[in-house]
Amino acid sequence: LGESGLGHAPPCVDDAVAHSFLNDPAVRVALHARPRSEIGSWTICSDKLNYTHDEWSMIPIHRSLVQHGIRALIYSGDHDMCVPHTGTEAWTSSLGFAEVEAWRPWVVKDQVAGYCRSFNPTTGAKLTYATVKGAGHTVPEYKPEESLAMFSRFLQDAPL
């Protein structure tokens, strides 16, 4: 990453919009962030945070939440070069829950928006895994209409 630390964006991320938005003085005030003159500009990668990684996998946490009755929506953009959807598909399948809805397309405005499947661990809660066609890592940024439809349906406990 060079001598300047982590100040460079990863190659799979175009952070121009986020950089502009999160460095806007009015946005910084709304987020209660200190001014740029005090702490510098927002950057997608920074060595200013002291972060300790203490969970090696979130899979046991996802399994436990669903087993305790918490519904879950896991989604991936099918053009995500940072976290490919095939990996997300693999770990959601590895949870060992019974599949209650096989792969099928989900639709927004008569267009296929992605594909989904659902699992149930016998608690009545459901874990749904969905892909979003044409979306990269930050799905709502790439596909806002489809993201809103997907999330709204999840909140309403309606089928995608």
Side-chain angles (χ1 to χ4, degrees):
L1 293 172
E3 293 179 36
S4 62
L6 298 173
H8 302 287
C12 61
V13 176
D14 177 0
D15 70 336
V17 173
H19 188 271
S20 176
F21 179 74
L22 292 170
N23 283 308
D24 180 285
V27 171
R28 292 177 73 100
V29 167
L31 294 174
H32 305 281
R34 295 191 311 236
R36 287 172 63 178
S37 60
E38 191 176 327
I39 62 170
S41 295
W42 176 88
T43 59
I44 196 160
C45 292
S46 172
D47 54 4
K48 294 180 181 179
L49 296 176
N50 182 10
Y51 175 75
T52 302
H53 186 267
D54 62 356
E55 284 293 332
W56 294 106
S57 173
M58 296 301 292
I59 293 172
I61 293 169
H62 285 288
R63 181 182 291 117
S64 177
L65 288 171
V66 175
Q67 286 174 329
H68 285 89
I70 306 296
R71 287 185 309 115
L73 171 65
I74 309 296
Y75 61 91
S76 293
D78 67 359
H79 290 185
D80 185 345
M81 299 301 288
C82 296
V83 182
H85 69 91
T86 52
T88 309
E89 180 182 341
W91 77 255
T92 54
S93 296
S94 79
L95 293 171
F97 299 154
E99 184 179 64
V100 294
E101 186 175 44
W103 278 112
R104 66 166 180 82
W106 64 279
V107 176
V108 174
K109 291 187 176 176
D110 297 321
Q111 294 290 315
V112 173
Y115 294 86
C116 63
R117 66 194 295 203
S118 296
F119 303 90
N120 185 316
T122 70
T123 61
K126 183 168 66 172
L127 180 140
T128 299
Y129 170 58
T131 64
V132 182
K133 282 182 62 71
H137 187 64
T138 51
V139 172
E141 180 180 9
Y142 286 88
K143 295 291 185 173
E145 184 174 13
E146 292 84 347
S147 298
L148 179 60
M150 177 180 62
F151 193 59
S152 295
R153 293 174 194 175
F154 172 73
L155 291 177
Q156 295 164 5
D157 201 13
L160 294 187

